[in-house]
Amino acid sequence: MAFDSILRNACIGGREPQLVDIGIAGGRIVELASGITGSGPEQDLAGRLVIAGFVDTHIHLDKSCILDRCKSQQGMLAEAIAEVAAAKRAFTEHDVYERACRTLEKAILQGTTRMRTHVEVDPRIGLKGFRAIRRLKQDYAWAIDIEICVFPQEGLLNDPGAEDLLIEACEQGADLIGGCPYTDSDPHGQIARIFALARQFDFDIDFHLDFDLEPSRMDIEEVCRQTKIAGWGGRVAVGHVTKLSALDSERFTAIAKRLADSGVAVTVLPATDLFLMGRNHDHNVPRGVAPAHRLLDYGVVCSIASNNVLNPFTPFGDCSLVRMANLYANVAQLGRPSELASCFDMVTALPAKLMKLRDYGLAVGGPADLVVLDCQDGPGAVAELARPLFGMKNGRRTFVCPPPRLLHAPCGEAR
Ligand SMILES: [Zn+2]
């Protein structure tokens, strides 16, 4: 058989690694077995890990790279929202597109092949950000599959005109709808409206939720309740949920069971959560990161994602999901191989499940979408921040990052 390319000695298989050759033709994986025979350009991967790419379920391309326009003093959530709201007034479609490009290209080079980007829609920005990201989605389809989640960052029921704009975006190419009840004058009212719109458009939902460390009032139960009523199990995700980190184990267990039972997934955003939470403590500062690994024990689908890049919510960012998994493992004090494997799952297979990506994974007949990492397995990738060496989409190489090389002094020379 003639292949377009053959990748030999690839390590695949997640929790049960196996060494195989990958035969690619016509943009698809046509053979996946050891010692495949056939002709075509070959590359020996020498046992390196091959995955279907990282999956980022929660990033904000539209408001990335704006640190030079903001001046945060306290590092609190309310300040970040206000600073971005002020900067947003000067956004143009071209400006959003140009900044989002920079961030997206970083993510591609970090091995991300699927992404859900949250895009702000309200009467100040109108549909400018949405239109820019919609164009970006098309322009970069050669490298990455992007889902657009439109949402009202500054409230819905308190912001006349926001709902009409959301509906317009839903009619013009948004893939799903999000919400942010904690900035609304009526959080439960917003949750109800978002569910109503989701039903109207048959869209999945992804909320920003319960984003502080005060557990006395939570919206998570209301989201679970509405999910049940709508029959939307498996179609709802919630991001941040930092309040979960402040619960005693009895209440945590009750909510974990409720999330699993209602089919609500959870995304933790460690870079943002660590940066913004606990600012009112001057010592023993809490971590403020939801313990996703404990939710996994109850069967809750969880992902670890990037959220913000170079803005007042998170003034850092290289768009590396393997770095996010490492950060989460460090903060959650996880170090055993099985625990690190769970962290790796939360940036690969589990976010793919959250986004219902049915063609994600390496399989015969599936798309030749893959990323080669400079490591042998998932725990090793998380522990050592393995570098992506190259990626493919539909069998075509989308990026290369050759491994760095030491240039040793010649033998006998002073060191
Ligand atoms: Zn977010």
Side-chain angles (χ1 to χ4, degrees):
M1 162 150 197
F3 296 100
D4 295 334
S5 60
I6 304 169
L7 301 175
R8 297 222 180 258
N9 299 310
C11 181
I12 63 163
R15 296 295 177 105
E16 288 165 23
Q18 44 177 319
L19 217 55
V20 296
D21 298 339
I22 304 172
I24 296 164
R28 308 200 83 76
I29 295 173
V30 290
E31 209 171 335
L32 203 57
S34 56
I36 62 177
T37 55
S39 60
E42 296 194 7
Q43 185 172 356
D44 185 0
L45 299 182
R48 289 194 177 88
L49 182 64
V50 179
I51 61 172
F54 294 109
V55 182
D56 203 334
T57 64
H58 191 130
I59 191 167
H60 296 263
L61 295 175
D62 60 333
K63 58 183 175 188
S64 64
C65 306
I66 54 167
L67 275 180
D68 55 340
R69 309 173 194 189
C70 302
K71 43 181 191 311
S72 296
Q73 303 294 329
Q74 297 133 2
M76 313 276 266
L77 173 61
E79 181 188 51
I81 292 172
E83 281 292 315
V84 174
K88 195 165 61 176
R89 290 173 183 272
F91 285 5
T92 64
E93 189 177 324
H94 173 77
D95 164 52
V96 172
Y97 185 88
E98 191 274 326
R99 287 183 289 97
C101 268
R102 267 188 272 156
T103 305
L104 185 62
E105 289 187 3
K106 274 194 207 172
I108 293 167
L109 288 167
Q110 296 287 6
T112 300
T113 54
R114 316 280 186 124
M115 175 184 279
R116 173 179 289 178
T117 188
H118 294 248
V119 177
E120 296 190 18
V121 169
D122 60 47
R124 271 77 57 205
I125 182 78
L127 296 181
K128 282 182 276 193
F130 167 70
R131 291 199 181 104
I133 300 300
R134 189 180 56 182
R135 190 150 53 85
L136 191 81
K137 171 180 169 166
Q138 284 196 330
D139 292 352
Y140 281 83
W142 55 271
I144 186 165
D145 292 336
I146 299 178
E147 270 187 5
I148 300 176
C149 176
V150 288
F151 83 110
Q153 170 74 73
E154 296 170 44
L156 182 64
L157 302 188
N158 51 299
D159 197 3
E163 184 168 330
D164 288 343
L165 286 162
L166 275 176
I167 290 171
E168 231 180 302
C170 290
E171 289 166 344
Q172 293 178 19
D175 298 291
L176 72 158
I177 191 162
C180 192
Y182 61 79
T183 57
D184 205 297
S185 50
D186 177 3
H188 286 195
Q190 179 181 126
I191 292 168
R193 282 309 304 151
I194 296 299
F195 268 94
L197 292 172
R199 291 164 90 144
Q200 183 182 334
F201 289 95
D202 193 21
F203 275 4
D204 291 359
I205 304 173
D206 199 330
F207 285 108
H208 288 71
L209 207 77
D210 286 339
F211 192 15
D212 62 39
L213 300 182
E214 174 46 64
S216 58
R217 193 201 157 277
M218 293 184 76
D219 291 328
I220 190 88
E221 280 113 338
E222 178 63 11
V223 169
C224 291
R225 194 180 75 82
Q226 293 274 5
T227 301
K228 276 278 195 186
I229 292 170
W232 239 241
R235 305 188 65 178
V236 178
V238 291
H240 297 294
V241 211
T242 49
K243 287 175 190 275
L244 287 175
S245 72
L247 300 181
D248 61 41
S249 50
E250 194 182 334
R251 184 135 184 250
F252 178 85
T253 302
I255 291 184
K257 287 179 176 166
R258 186 108 190 248
L259 286 163
D261 176 57
S262 47
V264 174
V266 171
T267 298
V268 290
L269 305 158
T272 303
D273 299 345
L274 281 164
F275 187 70
L276 293 177
M277 293 296 98
R279 289 277 180 168
N280 51 346
H281 293 248
D282 64 3
H283 63 285
N284 274 349
V285 180
R287 291 172 165 88
V289 175
H293 61 291
R294 288 171 57 203
L295 295 174
L296 296 180
D297 295 339
Y298 294 90
V300 181
V301 175
C302 294
S303 67
I304 299 169
S306 303
N307 199 34
N308 282 290
V309 177
L310 301 173
N311 73 16
F313 293 89
T314 318
F316 318 117
D318 56 1
C319 303
S320 165
L321 280 177
V322 80
R323 187 174 68 82
M324 278 307 119
N326 173 286
L327 179 62
Y328 178 83
N330 207 158
V331 165
Q333 302 175 314
L334 305 174
R336 288 195 287 269
S338 63
E339 294 171 333
L340 295 179
S342 291
C343 293
F344 193 70
D345 289 346
M346 285 194 277
V347 290
T348 52
L350 288 171
K353 191 171 177 187
L354 183 152
M355 288 172 65
K356 307 204 304 294
L357 304 175
R358 292 189 181 88
D359 63 348
Y360 177 86
L362 302 172
V364 173
D369 296 355
L370 57 86
V371 171
V372 179
L373 297 175
D374 197 7
C375 63
Q376 262 72 50
D377 54 29
V382 175
E384 298 183 58
L385 297 171
R387 296 162 190 272
L389 298 178
F390 69 87
M392 276 184 176
K393 190 168 195 301
N394 296 320
R396 179 189 169 273
R397 291 208 183 209
T398 50
F399 73 90
V400 288
C401 296
R405 219 159 39 88
L406 280 176
L407 304 175
H408 283 281
C411 247
E413 229 176 70
R415 303 190 174 213

